Amino acid sequence: MGGAVVDEGPTGIKAPDGGWGWAVLFGCFIITGFSYAFPKAVSVFFKELMHEFGIGYSDTAWISSILLAMLYGTGPLCSMCVNRFGCRPVMLVGGLFASLGMVAASFCRSITQIYLTTGVITGLGLALNFQPSLIMLNRYFNKRRPMANGLAAAGSPVFLCALSPLGQLLQDHYGWRGGFLILGGLLLNCCVCAALMRPLVAPQASGGAEPQGPQRPSPRLLDLSVFRDRGFLIYAVAASIMVLGLFVPPVFVVSYAKDMGVPDTKAAFLLTILGFIDIFARPTAGFITGLKKVRPYSVYLFSFAMFFNGFTDLTGSTASDYGGLVVFCIFFGISYGMVGALQFEVLMAIVGTQKFSSAIGLVLLLEAVAVLIGPPSGGKLLDATKVYKYVFILAGAEVLTSSLVLLLGNFFCIGKRKRPEVTKPEEVASEEEKLHKPPVDVRVDSREVEHFLKAEPEKNGEVVHTPETSV
């Protein structure tokens, strides 16, 4: 079974919207949890790594940065691998890489070696799992796709709430080396999830073994034609601007609370509140987007989610006590969950199934640049001003800008272009009936036809001698 047939999406394949798709959704839930939560959960081991190698916090923070950079920046590579080999083989190799990186890191003797193993190898393995899992989810769900995306996206906060305490427990009992080794074994579950990604097969034709729909013998490894789509360009620009400020508040909110004099335990509890709200916000946003009356406007709902998130950042900058930060985390968790549930659903709706594997890789590459710029730029602003308020204002302004780019771009560049297609055939038929009113019941008798043929012999190839033709 060739990967090209599966990845090009033959016309005979219809999304089952259930059945084995629920197993695919479960696997995507786990993969999403590992991909997004693992870079944050590894930070539990940073203090012991600092003591082991005699380095500073900024040196250990590069581990999470490299993990995220690999997750986002290898998007085109993942797209080419999926289009060449298929989703399941790529995910199996990715699961092995993710596990091998953590196991090898447990034997490292320098921080540079950990950068290579935990950062590069494990990051590449997670990337090879994350993107193909979303592609498979897109193929198995169509009508229920918004709900499926919301449920899969909920894996990120669930695993974050689970992996962080687990990492602390492993460090207390086995040290950072033993913890890395056990986490490496845990990442082998990515291979189990890969086994669940059963490819869809085109149905057999009634008279033979040929599958329905044309097969494409030479698929593109990376379809750059998506850049001709206005919708994709607007989405890519908006998403890149959004990522500049989206991840900044969770990075600085704990330090913001400590700067107010809040105890460490209470300050860390803010992230727990944010994650708990996020768990319920993502599936809820998916269910709402899946409603028949709401789904056609999913792009506008995504724009509203970004606007809500940016506005929350601006109001959070005015918090003056711990209670204000708690309220901020509640509303940020809601808006953050909405963004997480809708971002890939909207991209799927814009580019379609066939181009999604290439589109998501290119979008993740653009977002990788923004991920590496956003939090460091917030840190530099904080170093220059020593005021957390300005960091939140900057993040809010960036996310608000992205929402306006998506909203105005979709309304003026995409909405008007697609409006003529909305005309219902019933309306067209009614207009034609008003202009051309044919007889209600027109019947032709055979005797009338015979009489007409005799009267018009030239219709049968005979020559008619009329006064005009005789002359």
Side-chain angles (χ1 to χ4, degrees):
M1 183 179 296
V5 175
V6 177
D7 294 318
E8 285 297 313
T11 56
I13 295 180
K14 182 180 179 181
D17 275 306
W20 190 256
W22 299 116
V24 173
L25 174 59
F26 176 73
C28 191
F29 175 86
I30 295 176
I31 294 297
T32 303
F34 275 128
S35 301
Y36 277 118
F38 202 81
K40 302 172 186 175
V42 173
S43 62
V44 173
F45 300 93
F46 283 179
K47 285 189 177 181
E48 198 161 334
L49 290 175
M50 292 166 60
H51 182 266
E52 175 83 13
F53 300 112
I55 55 178
Y57 181 81
S58 59
D59 297 318
T60 57
W62 273 104
I63 299 175
S64 297
S65 298
I66 295 173
L67 273 169
L68 287 173
M70 293 299 295
L71 180 64
Y72 284 90
T74 56
L77 174 63
C78 296
S79 296
M80 290 188 288
C81 291
V82 168
N83 291 334
R84 176 63 180 87
F85 303 105
C87 291
R88 181 189 277 176
V90 172
M91 291 180 67
L92 286 170
V93 173
L96 293 175
F97 272 31
S99 176
L100 178 63
M102 292 303 295
V103 172
S106 64
F107 298 97
C108 289
R109 299 295 177 185
S110 68
I111 191 64
T112 305
Q113 294 175 351
I114 292 182
Y115 291 159
L116 178 63
T117 53
T118 301
V120 176
I121 299 178
T122 299
L124 177 61
L126 292 175
L128 292 175
N129 273 270
F130 175 63
Q131 187 171 321
S133 68
L134 290 177
I135 295 171
M136 289 300 296
L137 190 70
N138 180 40
R139 292 174 185 165
Y140 268 89
F141 289 92
N142 183 23
K143 295 181 179 179
R144 298 176 176 175
R145 193 178 63 205
M147 177 199 67
N149 274 300
L151 292 173
S156 174
V158 169
F159 270 63
L160 181 60
C161 294
L163 286 179
S164 295
L166 177 62
Q168 188 64 51
L169 184 66
L170 294 176
Q171 179 179 275
D172 295 339
H173 286 79
Y174 305 105
W176 72 269
R177 294 185 184 275
F180 275 25
L181 186 63
I182 295 174
L183 288 177
L186 193 63
L187 284 173
L188 283 174
N189 286 289
C190 293
C191 296
V192 179
C193 296
L196 297 175
M197 303 298 166
R198 187 169 65 192
L200 287 172
V201 181
Q204 299 289 331
S206 58
E210 290 294 329
Q212 298 178 3
Q215 303 296 322
R216 302 179 184 180
S218 57
R220 298 179 182 179
L221 293 181
L222 188 63
D223 191 356
L224 298 179
S225 65
V226 292
F227 284 109
R228 301 173 187 171
D229 190 338
R230 293 184 188 176
F232 173 78
L233 291 176
I234 294 171
Y235 177 91
V237 172
S240 300
I241 299 174
M242 176 191 70
V243 171
L244 285 172
L246 184 65
F247 301 119
V248 172
V251 173
F252 291 98
V253 67
V254 176
S255 301
Y256 192 9
K258 292 179 181 179
D259 189 63
M260 293 180 180
V262 178
D264 293 353
T265 53
K266 290 185 66 177
F269 187 68
L270 291 172
L271 289 180
T272 305
I273 296 173
L274 193 156
F276 182 78
I277 299 296
D278 192 9
I279 290 174
F280 297 97
R282 297 192 183 215
T284 303
F287 278 111
I288 294 175
T289 309
L291 299 176
K292 290 183 179 180
K293 295 183 179 180
V294 179
R295 191 172 183 183
Y297 305 98
S298 59
V299 177
Y300 296 104
L301 185 60
F302 183 44
S303 178
F304 169 75
M306 292 191 292
F307 182 87
F308 185 21
N309 186 270
F311 183 76
T312 303
D313 292 343
L314 295 180
T315 56
S317 65
T318 63
S320 57
D321 55 8
Y322 184 73
L325 290 179
V326 170
V327 174
F328 162 75
C329 287
I330 292 174
F331 284 97
F332 185 86
I334 296 173
S335 60
Y336 189 74
M338 292 176 65
V339 171
L342 293 173
Q343 56 178 341
F344 296 119
E345 162 61 25
V346 171
L347 179 60
M348 291 175 187
I350 290 174
V351 301
T353 302
Q354 293 184 4
K355 294 184 178 181
F356 179 69
S357 59
S358 297
I360 187 176
L362 295 170
V363 167
L364 290 177
L365 177 61
L366 295 175
E367 290 183 352
V369 179
V371 165
L372 293 177
I373 295 175
S377 62
K380 286 189 176 182
L381 179 62
L382 181 62
D383 292 337
T385 61
K386 308 297 181 182
V387 179
Y388 284 91
K389 176 180 179 179
Y390 298 143
V391 176
F392 281 71
I393 291 176
L394 175 63
E398 291 167 342
V399 180
L400 281 176
T401 302
S402 67
S403 70
L404 294 177
V405 169
L406 183 63
L407 176 65
L408 299 178
N410 182 76
F411 183 77
F412 289 106
C413 298
I414 305 174
K416 290 185 177 181
R417 184 184 62 178
K418 293 186 177 181
R419 278 174 191 169
E421 302 175 3
V422 181
T423 307
K424 296 182 180 179
E426 293 82 359
E427 298 177 358
V428 177
S430 63
E431 292 295 330
E432 290 181 354
E433 289 178 357
K434 293 179 181 179
L435 296 175
H436 311 285
K437 293 184 178 179
V440 178
D441 188 10
V442 181
R443 295 183 181 179
V444 180
D445 189 24
S446 61
R447 289 176 295 181
E448 294 180 1
V449 174
E450 184 179 359
H451 176 72
F452 176 78
L453 293 177
K454 289 180 179 180
E456 301 286 342
E458 71 277 7
K459 300 296 182 180
N460 287 333
E462 301 177 11
V463 179
V464 181
H465 295 282
T466 61
E468 292 81 1
T469 56
S470 299
V471 175

